[in-house]
Amino acid sequence: MEAIDKIEEMVKAGFPCYYIYTEDEVSVTKQLEKLSKKLSEEIIISKWTVNEGDLEDYLTSISKYSIPTFCILTNIHFFLEQPGIIQTIKDGIPIWKTKGQYVFFLENDKKIPPEINRNVTYLEFELPNKSELAEQVRFIESSVKENGIDLQLDNGDIDTLASAALGLTTQQAQDAFSLSIIRSRELSPSVVTEVKAAEYLKSGLLELESPVPIEFLQGYDNLKEWIYDIKDGFFGESKFGLPAPKGVLLLGPPGVGKTVASRAFASIFNLMLLKCDLGKVFGMYVGDSERNFRTLINIAEAMSPIVMRIDEIEKQLSGSAGNLDGGVSTKVLGGLLTWMQESTSPVFRIATANRVESLPPELLRKGRFDEIFFLDLPSSVERYDIFEYHIAKRSDYTQVNTTLIGMTEGWSGAEIEQVVIQSLRKVERYEASNAGFLEVLEQETSLTQPLSVIRRDDIDKIRQWAVDNGARMASENMELQKQQDANRNGRRLMV
């Protein structure tokens, strides 16, 4: 049941005073005005803001009204620490009830004094839904037609624009639509999304990133196939009643393309990509961290549908196993796990991790992520493709030789990209043939020590974890897959 329908029932039952939490005061005021007319033509509207005079005098005057009135007061929470205001409300409520007066406090702060907590009725109004925003689109369409702009929107266009505006207030949506008209004499979902991002990302808890074409991600065919398989399930209803995909955990050594994969997935989904920094959630004061986390979740859901990435999640949750912060990290982890398990909002979550042994085990169980993929260091075929891609992207040089592929055994995609960039910097000062470039490239490669050598033990641990825990391979990896098969067979024999 909508909040306004609940108010209608309560008004009919004689409830006199309401504390309404809303971020869209304009919309709620209009709904209350419509409700007053629906209930009785005799009900009048009276409004108060801080610019209308003394609050205590206004609250006192309500008791003297002889005509049924909807009294709408905006942002009185600034005054709710004053004993005189609290007492005036407490004294006025029984009088308002007997005289048929209805008082509505429209607030964007949930701060009800305990002295009147049981005397007022608390309700929350959601931001405008898709149908309400569609009405705003139609209003803009008819308004600009008077100025000679014929938008010719069909139902699909209106639905797309309304979806893009979800999470905005009525006024913000109107402003976004108007901005789009000014820019291009049409209604563009991308402009609406831009306005929404500017509004919600100012908290700093989430950052907007640019998606990249899938071509940026070389190799990892198993992972790509999986993403394409679940894409339709994320947007559409399943004929089997299956839940929408929630996300994926990408494991692997640094530099193998986990971040690039997340940006490519956002491109496949054609959605905004937001980077989540859980480190910014933790605040200095008691209650700050929990409040920031709730804000983060509210923003993510308000901006949905989106792709959200949490980089190196094991580092961001590193405090959750101990009590050094008074248990705040544990509470944030608990909130994150609950949200990942129970949320039905279209937020596709991608988490990346390098040191998987640090991850809380409860994060890894089924239901948090749809799948866990292991991205290993690229094979010889994948290294060849990576070399070709980064060379062709930046130059006209061609023909990567087999010597180079052999020299880069154990290299990550990021290391290959960097050695290509460094080699091109060297030959940039003079015209070089393809053979000359390859000579420089081999020379630079021989001077580079890959991470797989410097941190061999760490990478071996990640590989072993992927084997022991049955992570799916992002690309064909016969060595690790054989080890996984041997583990499965061993478990069957033990049973």
Side-chain angles (χ1 to χ4, degrees):
M1 181 183 291
E2 297 288 339
I4 193 66
D5 297 325
K6 293 179 181 178
I7 290 178
E8 180 178 354
E9 288 184 342
M10 292 174 180
V11 166
K12 289 177 179 178
F15 288 54
C17 190
Y18 304 81
Y19 190 105
I20 298 175
Y21 176 80
T22 177
E23 296 181 40
D24 196 345
E25 297 158 0
V26 173
S27 174
V28 175
T29 298
K30 288 181 179 178
Q31 291 183 63
L32 289 173
E33 290 172 346
K34 286 182 180 179
L35 177 60
S36 71
K37 296 291 185 290
K38 178 181 178 182
L39 293 172
S40 172
E41 289 293 334
E42 295 181 358
I43 296 177
I44 64 172
I45 299 292
S46 175
K47 299 178 183 178
W48 181 92
T49 68
V50 70
N51 295 324
E52 301 295 329
D54 184 78
L55 174 59
E56 191 170 347
D57 289 345
Y58 180 82
L59 291 169
T60 302
S61 69
I62 295 173
S63 301
K64 300 174 184 177
Y65 290 172
S66 58
I67 301 174
T69 307
F70 272 23
C71 301
I72 303 172
L73 297 87
T74 304
N75 290 331
I76 75 161
H77 64 266
F78 296 113
F79 306 93
L80 286 180
E81 293 180 358
Q82 298 178 19
I85 297 296
I86 294 172
Q87 193 62 49
T88 300
I89 295 173
K90 195 168 186 178
D91 292 343
I93 287 175
I95 301 173
W96 301 339
K97 184 175 178 66
T98 58
K99 289 198 169 187
Q101 309 301 342
Y102 305 97
V103 181
F104 303 92
F105 303 138
L106 306 191
E107 308 296 330
N108 55 19
D109 191 354
K110 302 175 183 179
K111 187 169 66 176
I112 306 176
E115 293 84 357
I116 58 171
N117 186 46
R118 288 182 176 272
N119 303 89
V120 301
T121 301
Y122 177 82
L123 293 114
E124 288 192 28
F125 270 71
E126 301 290 337
L127 288 167
N129 58 33
K130 190 185 290 188
S131 63
E132 292 168 334
L133 291 167
E135 288 182 16
Q136 295 301 318
V137 176
R138 294 186 184 96
F139 171 75
I140 293 292
E141 182 183 21
S142 62
S143 298
V144 298
K145 189 173 289 187
E146 297 174 2
N147 295 319
I149 302 175
D150 189 2
L151 298 176
Q152 296 184 341
L153 300 174
D154 59 27
N155 289 336
D157 296 328
I158 293 173
D159 185 74
T160 300
L161 287 161
S163 296
L166 283 171
L168 295 177
T169 67
T170 303
Q171 186 61 58
Q172 288 171 334
Q174 289 178 355
D175 291 344
F177 297 146
S178 299
L179 177 62
S180 181
I181 295 292
I182 293 299
R183 280 190 182 175
S184 58
R185 295 178 67 84
E186 64 180 11
L187 286 176
S188 168
S190 62
V191 175
V192 179
T193 300
E194 176 189 329
V195 171
K196 185 162 69 171
E199 169 62 26
Y200 280 101
L201 301 185
K202 59 190 178 186
S203 69
L205 297 172
L206 291 163
E207 298 176 19
L208 186 64
E209 292 196 338
S210 300
V212 298
I214 189 63
E215 292 76 23
F216 276 48
L217 183 65
Q218 296 295 310
Y220 305 130
D221 291 340
N222 294 345
L223 177 59
K224 290 176 181 176
E225 182 180 4
W226 181 82
I227 279 293
Y228 280 111
D229 283 344
I230 69 164
K231 176 185 174 183
D232 291 342
F234 182 75
F235 290 103
E237 292 186 6
S238 166
K239 65 180 180 180
F240 301 114
L242 304 176
K246 294 183 176 181
V248 62
L249 176 60
L250 304 179
L251 311 175
V256 296
K258 300 186 292 295
T259 297
V260 175
S262 71
R263 297 176 68 189
F265 295 167
S267 178
I268 292 171
F269 284 134
N270 194 26
L271 293 177
M272 278 193 298
L273 173 63
L274 298 181
K275 177 185 174 183
C276 168
D277 186 350
L278 290 177
K280 293 180 179 179
V281 167
F282 298 99
M284 294 175 56
Y285 303 106
V286 175
D288 278 357
S289 301
E290 293 88 339
R291 188 181 306 110
N292 288 340
F293 179 73
R294 288 194 298 272
T295 300
L296 185 151
I297 298 305
N298 290 338
I299 291 172
E301 295 191 343
M303 295 192 69
S304 64
I306 58 167
V307 174
M308 186 175 83
R309 184 180 78 245
I310 307 176
D311 269 334
E312 297 186 346
I313 191 171
E314 77 279 15
K315 292 181 180 178
Q316 299 201 42
L317 296 175
S318 60
S320 62
N323 294 312
L324 297 178
D325 59 1
V328 172
S329 296
T330 302
K331 291 179 182 177
V332 170
L333 172 62
L336 177 65
L337 295 177
T338 300
W339 178 62
M340 293 173 68
Q341 182 73 31
E342 299 179 359
S343 173
T344 57
S345 296
V347 178
F348 189 80
R349 296 169 283 269
I350 301 175
T352 71
N354 299 329
R355 302 178 64 88
V356 288
E357 70 276 4
S358 304
L359 288 172
E362 58 268 38
L363 183 69
L364 303 173
R365 78 167 180 80
K366 289 293 185 181
R368 313 297 190 197
F369 296 102
D370 294 279
E371 195 55 81
I372 299 174
F373 274 92
F374 176 64
L375 284 68
D376 202 359
L377 296 167
S379 66
S380 58
V381 173
E382 289 171 331
R383 292 199 303 280
Y384 190 97
D385 291 340
I386 294 169
F387 265 115
E388 275 203 328
Y389 174 77
H390 287 297
I391 292 170
K393 179 182 174 182
R394 298 174 172 87
S395 73
D396 295 328
Y397 297 120
T398 58
Q399 298 179 2
V400 179
N401 58 26
T402 55
T403 301
L404 197 59
I405 302 306
M407 292 174 67
T408 52
E409 178 76 32
W411 280 46
S412 70
E415 289 166 336
I416 292 173
E417 179 183 14
Q418 197 55 45
V419 80
V420 169
I421 291 172
Q422 188 59 30
S423 300
L424 288 170
R425 282 176 178 154
K426 281 199 168 185
V427 302
E428 195 171 27
R429 290 172 295 174
Y430 57 90
E431 292 294 329
S433 65
N434 193 66
F437 168 68
L438 287 176
E439 183 180 345
V440 173
L441 190 55
E442 288 180 12
Q443 181 183 24
E444 285 298 313
T445 300
S446 67
L447 297 173
T448 302
Q449 188 84 307
L451 198 64
S452 61
V453 174
I454 300 171
R455 293 177 56 185
R456 174 175 293 177
D457 290 344
D458 290 339
I459 292 176
D460 286 345
K461 284 180 182 178
I462 300 173
R463 282 202 180 103
Q464 193 59 49
W465 190 97
V467 169
D468 294 342
N469 292 273
R472 287 183 64 173
M473 298 296 145
S475 54
E476 295 301 323
N477 190 320
M478 297 307 298
E479 178 187 352
L480 297 187
Q481 286 168 352
K482 284 180 180 179
Q483 293 181 42
Q484 286 184 335
D485 291 341
N487 282 352
R488 293 189 189 99
N489 293 332
R491 293 190 190 101
R492 291 192 189 101
L493 290 174
M494 290 176 64
V495 173

